[in-house]
Amino acid sequence: MPGNGLILAIESSCDETAAAVVQRGSRTLSSAVASQIATHARYGGVVPELASREHLRAVVPVVRAALAQANITLNDLDAIAVTSGPGLAGALLVGITYAKALSFAQNIPLIAINHLEGHIHAVLLNERESLDGQSSTGDQPALALVVSGGHTHLYLASPAHGSWTYSLIGRTVDDAAGEAYDKVAKLLGLGYPGGPWIDALALHGNPNAVPFAFSRIKTKLHLGGKPPRTKAAKTAPIANLDPHFLFSFSGIKTAVLRYVELHNLRPEAEARHLALFTGPDAPANPTVEDALATCDQQTLDLIASFQHAVVGDLMKKTFAAQESLGATRILVTGGVSANRELRSRFTSEAARRNLRVAFPTLALSTDNAAMIAAAAWPHLQAGEFAPDSLSADPSLPLGR
Ligand code: KG4
Ligand code: ZN
């Protein structure tokens, strides 16, 4: 059994370079995150080549900061954990290469973690932390909705003798929910990432003004025997899943685009983008109030209606899966789980059904390395280590 259970984790799958030290999967000693938002914002999305370059710049200082904040040295560590996929190949490789070097130099094990498993453990880490490491409801199976910029996946997470197994219950067949948030925000001239802007502005609109609808997805028809097209779709097979638990967010993005064109909102969106971000009088750090001043009621209603529809669809399918599996506990995690409407509606519906629902703290909702270190703890206990040949797997699936 490892000494102090101290794991240093590195996460570099997308646009945050993160490092953290967590003890025994239940005590966060440090969690450092270097965000690349400023680098990618002007492009309205993550540029993979720029992401790799920024990770290269940030990885050493971020690891140093995590060790310093935890007040330990490399010699105190019992293992190094690293995200090995899914994510951007070049970005993942930066973290993996550095983690391998550290594990080799320190002669301690290297543990490869799936990013989605990490998001699930963000919630479990919070729970264990609040219970001071004691076992808790965290030892019961949970239906986990991982909803972020790259993923919208439903898993049944089950603990078995200290480690966890995951079975895939549902997922998106095209865009992730966060991707829809980001694309709709871009379309409306708002900033990147779009989720936090839409979250804040939706409070000022009428969620029932524009009736967006989600059609039912028929797996076989949808795929027509062809392989899935998107990155997210490659991380797990669709064909064997119940169509009731499949998500699709590309349609609503197109519906918003149609609405924008039909109501001639594009010039206003372009003016908004100039006023907030690129124009000569754009503020250095635009606030929600600045954005609000550029939105008429029709745009605010559109934003609120978009969010209401997305959250409603996430709820409908998650609770349908919960009912079908008889799960008594739900975890919602990933960047979109920071959303206020999502948290409040999932909380009320769970209470109505007498179920438990848990979310990570806001800091652990978006990408971070504490969740990777927490997920690595059961693997360290079970002696499940990465081979020397570990490489990045951009479409690494989780579970069966
Ligand atoms: O988990 P994350 O940091 O990265 C991925 O693994 O993808 O999630 C980032 C995503 C972005 O699409 C961002 O717009 C969305 O999470 N997001 C939100 C909110 N905060 C971040 N979406 C809705 N409401 C929010 N408050
Ligand atoms: Zn993520």
Side-chain angles (χ1 to χ4, degrees), residues 11 13-16 86 115-116 119 146-151 176-183 185 191-200 306-307 310-311 333-343 362 364-368 371:
E11 152 67 45
S13 66
C14 190
D15 59 348
E16 331 267 7
H115 183 78
L116 297 167
H119 273 301
V146 184
V147 62
S148 69
H151 316 279
E179 211 173 335
Y181 266 93
D182 294 338
K183 287 177 178 167
Y192 176 83
W197 290 103
I198 292 188
D199 185 352
F306 161 77
Q307 172 161 292
V310 169
V311 172
T333 184
V336 183
S337 78
N339 187 269
R340 274 167 279 194
E341 179 174 342
L342 179 147
R343 287 190 177 216
L362 290 183
L364 290 194
S365 297
T366 47
D367 288 349
N368 65 87
M371 68 186 194

Side-chain angles (χ1 to χ4, degrees), residues 114-158:
N114 184 305
H115 183 78
L116 297 167
E117 180 175 26
H119 273 301
I120 294 171
H121 279 263
V123 189
L124 302 174
L125 168 61
N126 285 152
E127 286 184 344
R128 283 185 226 118
E129 221 151 20
S130 64
L131 289 158
D132 217 8
Q134 297 305 304
S135 76
S136 66
T137 51
D139 293 338
Q140 291 165 14
L143 178 66
L145 171 65
V146 184
V147 62
S148 69
H151 316 279
T152 303
H153 284 54
L154 273 171
Y155 290 98
L156 186 66
S158 313

Side-chain angles (χ1 to χ4, degrees), residues 141 143 156 319-329 355:
L143 178 66
L156 186 66
F319 284 103
Q322 169 273 318
E323 225 171 273
S324 148
L325 297 166
T328 57
R329 151 183 163 75
L355 306 169

